Amino acid sequence: MDTHPAEMTVHSSQPHNAEPVRTALAGRDLTPVEVFYHRNHAADLPRIDPASWALRVDGMVERPATFSLGALRERFAEHAEVVTLQCAGNRRAGLIEVADLPGEIPWGPGATGTARWAGARLADVLRDVGVDPAATDVVLTGADVADEPGEPYTVSVPLEKALASEVLLAWSMNDAALPAAHGAPVRVVVPGWIGARSVKWLERITVADAPSSGFYQAVAYRLLPADASPAPGRGVALGPIAVNADVLSPADGAEVPAGTVPVTGYALAGGDRTVVRVDVSTDDGATWTEADLDPQASRWSWRHWHIDLDLPAGTTRVVARAWDSAGGVQPADPAELWNPKGYVNNSWARVTLHAVAARDG
């Protein structure tokens, strides 16, 4: 399928935040770079010369070190993982329909994408420098600095996750050099966790005995009660992705021929969970039909699903929900999930289709 700028919805130019239209993701295990979503906080992307880039590893380690890109690639074996990244604000538009979220990006279902990432295992780097047994967290710092809050992008992951074999310091995306727009020369890829933990333009790794106290973890990317406002430590820090799914094709509001209509979508389960079932309804959840699941490209990737629906002439709302291997299922009502930052909308996916009967003659 050819791609072109019309397949991207640009929410803001500075910082650049954009997502593909839903149909651009349909039927693809891997998302082409040109339609992979962009989530940025700083108005300008960092300009980094790979030849002079260096990664500092410090904190609660036995042997603090600094690695050039060449040294990182030479010293540590390259590993590849197919991983789906998803923004914590994915599908926020559904929460905005419940109540306005001023200043928040109205993400649709396209703030997600899957790529084959390759690079060094973070665990190998940490073992190389020697981690203090009292350490609990690994703080990751990027080169991007937004005007507000005026500090480098910094978050952390628990040491247990950082030492997992799937977490990468990636220098490659879909078998090509990592693009600057997606974090070159090196970014972190944390499978199963919100995209905010997969730090781009990585510059520093600090082993610590507490989570990051930076803005992006202590204030932002936290799930707040509906009546709360952001403040340091308030709410719950977001980590593993909640089970989620959406319809990719046909597009919401599409006109389709009455009769058999193929409907496809994606489903994703975070943490160590997998998608085990997707149900589809055409009567607002009164009855459900199980969709067919495509093979999963890896344990860390989405699963595409498909179903043929018999649609009568007129308007039908198609609803989908996914189940994960822990028995978790998407909740029905986005109103129950509304929160002041518009995170984690994993309510039932809904698209409206207009079926048109064939004309005689």
Side-chain angles (χ1 to χ4, degrees):
M1 182 186 299
D2 294 332
T3 57
H4 50 80
E7 288 189 305
M8 297 294 287
T9 299
V10 177
H11 294 294
S12 65
S13 56
Q14 287 189 308
H16 180 55
N17 288 297
E19 67 179 301
V21 298
R22 67 176 72 220
T23 53
L25 297 176
R28 290 166 156 166
D29 280 338
L30 299 182
T31 306
V33 172
E34 55 267 32
V35 291
F36 205 98
Y37 78 99
H38 295 265
R39 174 63 177 113
N40 297 295
H41 298 85
D44 298 310
L45 301 185
R47 296 185 178 183
I48 301 173
D49 179 2
S52 60
W53 174 86
L55 174 64
R56 180 181 173 188
V57 186
D58 60 12
M60 298 174 67
V61 299
E62 297 172 4
R63 298 170 295 278
T66 300
F67 300 98
S68 67
L69 180 58
L72 196 67
R73 299 188 68 151
E74 189 174 305
R75 189 176 186 111
F76 302 103
E78 181 177 282
H79 298 272
E81 295 281 358
V82 176
V83 178
T84 300
L85 297 183
Q86 186 167 102
C87 178
N90 187 54
R91 303 185 62 219
R92 180 181 283 136
L95 297 183
I96 292 174
E97 292 177 3
V98 174
D100 195 19
L101 292 165
E104 300 296 341
I105 300 169
W107 294 110
T112 190
T114 302
R116 181 181 293 107
W117 310 94
R121 285 175 171 157
L122 175 55
D124 289 347
V125 174
L126 294 175
R127 292 190 179 101
D128 187 76
V129 299
V131 174
D132 187 320
T136 59
D137 294 84
V138 176
V139 180
L140 308 163
T141 301
D144 49 329
V145 181
D147 291 340
E148 293 290 339
E151 63 184 59
Y153 188 91
T154 303
V155 294
S156 63
V157 294
L159 178 61
E160 181 181 15
K161 181 63 177 180
L163 291 174
S165 62
E166 68 270 8
V167 179
L168 298 178
L169 306 181
W171 51 66
S172 172
M173 180 181 184
N174 287 350
D175 304 317
L178 182 67
H182 290 287
V186 172
R187 73 171 297 166
V188 188
V189 175
V190 184
W193 285 52
I194 61 168
R197 302 299 180 92
S198 291
V199 176
K200 293 178 283 188
W201 309 291
L202 183 68
E203 287 193 329
R204 186 177 180 184
I205 298 171
T206 303
V207 179
D209 59 1
S212 170
S213 59
F215 173 83
Y216 295 101
Q217 186 147 341
V219 179
Y221 295 106
R222 301 182 74 87
L223 187 63
L224 300 170
D227 59 351
S229 58
R234 183 173 292 172
V236 178
L238 296 172
I241 297 168
V243 63
N244 213 335
D246 214 319
V247 178
L248 294 178
S249 179
D252 187 27
E255 187 175 284
V256 298
T260 301
V261 176
V263 176
T264 66
Y266 71 79
L268 178 65
D272 294 327
R273 293 164 283 115
T274 58
V275 171
V276 296
R277 196 173 98 204
V278 171
D279 300 327
V280 179
S281 175
T282 56
D283 54 14
D284 286 324
T287 60
W288 297 92
T289 302
E290 191 170 345
D292 293 318
L293 294 176
D294 292 344
Q296 194 168 359
S298 86
R299 64 173 297 192
W300 305 110
S301 72
W302 57 17
R303 293 193 77 170
H304 285 277
W305 54 267
H306 59 275
I307 191 171
D308 289 338
L309 297 179
D310 186 14
L311 299 185
T315 297
T316 299
R317 186 161 72 165
V318 177
V319 179
R321 66 181 184 189
W323 298 75
D324 67 24
S325 52
V329 63
Q330 291 177 252
D333 190 353
E336 297 177 4
L337 302 174
W338 191 93
N339 60 91
K341 295 293 289 182
Y343 292 137
V344 200
N345 179 18
N346 69 331
S347 60
W348 293 352
R350 293 172 170 89
V351 298
T352 299
L353 301 180
H354 305 288
V356 180
R359 294 188 178 91
D360 294 336

